[in-house]
Amino acid sequence: EDNDQKVKESKENDKFNKEFEKEIDGIISDYNIPLKYVAKLKGHNKLISTMCIDKSGTRLLSGSYDNCVKFWDFGGMNESLQSFREIIPCDGYPIKSLSYNYSGSKFLCCTGSHKPQIYDRDGRQIIEFVQGDMYIRDMNHTFGHTMPLMGGKWFGYNYLNQNVDQISTWSQDSTFRIWDVEYNENKRCK
């Protein structure tokens, strides 16, 4: 009698599994979900706070509360699905925002610090912008953020042009700043 009960339960489970698979297949086809190209990229130790993919779709950046940016190259990735490089832009500060420029040759990194940074495609720092003077009350009279950054993007007139030379950043100091990457005297170049 126990065997009959087990066989009956097994048949019910099989029927349920087939119905479930049929329902899932229907959802997948209705919404055109590309399940064939799913991969779990593991590597961060804490919450992932931001991701950015370049225009060509070959490189992904991921930033996390473990204070590091990981570089993923889909063209050169093997079965281990590991990142090929990682950097820690500002030790002790989580990554808030990552943004590639139009051509994918540079990316903007905003951490929980006061200073936005620009890196080249390979993770070498190009520019670190200045921090504002926190003792000045009027934010119009200081040249940088005085509180932690909340995010940033490439910005400017015709931002889809590969020669865009402006970024925008926003901060907990209630300011939105536009930085001129090429001609700003307030940046510190490395």
Side-chain angles (χ1 to χ4, degrees):
E1 205 171 286
D2 285 337
N3 284 341
D4 291 338
Q5 183 67 22
K6 288 181 182 178
V7 169
K8 185 177 178 182
E9 287 177 7
S10 176
K11 287 181 182 181
E12 288 176 4
N13 284 341
D14 289 342
K15 182 179 177 184
F16 174 78
N17 287 338
K18 287 179 184 178
E19 289 176 7
F20 182 74
E21 286 177 13
K22 187 176 181 182
E23 184 69 27
I24 292 296
D25 289 341
I27 291 171
I28 290 169
S29 64
D30 288 347
Y31 293 101
N32 295 323
I33 299 173
L35 284 183
K36 294 179 183 176
Y37 305 108
V38 173
K40 291 183 181 181
L41 305 175
K42 297 180 181 179
H44 288 287
N45 299 325
K46 293 187 178 176
L47 172 79
I48 294 175
S49 54
T50 183
M51 291 174 40
C52 179
I53 195 161
D54 71 348
K55 182 182 168 195
S56 67
T58 58
R59 282 211 177 166
L60 172 76
L61 297 174
S62 60
S64 171
Y65 276 79
D66 62 6
N67 308 330
C68 74
V69 175
K70 292 199 181 270
F71 295 71
W72 309 86
D73 184 10
F74 297 121
M77 193 177 286
N78 61 16
E79 302 84 36
S80 68
L81 302 177
Q82 297 293 316
S83 65
F84 72 92
R85 179 171 296 129
E86 74 176 57
I87 60 171
I88 299 176
C90 200
D91 199 18
Y93 294 100
I95 311 302
K96 298 285 189 166
S97 170
L98 296 169
S99 177
Y100 270 111
N101 67 346
Y102 181 77
S103 65
S105 62
K106 302 178 209 169
F107 69 91
L108 169 65
C109 178
C110 295
T111 64
S113 73
H114 305 76
K115 302 184 268 188
Q117 302 166 358
I118 295 179
Y119 289 84
D120 70 4
R121 181 176 175 83
D122 296 321
R124 290 184 291 273
Q125 188 180 49
I126 300 171
I127 299 169
E128 181 180 44
F129 292 90
V130 297
Q131 176 178 334
D133 187 348
M134 68 177 109
Y135 298 107
I136 296 178
R137 291 237 187 251
D138 187 356
M139 291 292 114
N140 293 323
H141 298 293
T142 187
F143 295 108
H145 292 291
T146 59
M147 299 277 295
L149 294 169
M150 294 304 295
K153 292 282 182 194
W154 288 92
F155 180 76
Y157 174 72
N158 195 9
Y159 71 96
L160 294 177
N161 182 347
Q162 27 181 325
N163 296 324
V164 69
D165 56 359
Q166 292 179 335
I167 60 167
S168 61
T169 57
W170 48 96
S171 168
Q172 289 180 4
D173 61 10
S174 300
T175 61
F176 174 85
R177 296 190 180 272
I178 298 174
W179 305 82
D180 192 336
V181 174
E182 298 299 324
Y183 303 107
N184 192 335
E185 296 173 3
N186 300 317
K187 68 183 179 200
R188 183 178 55 160
C189 296
K190 294 272 180 177

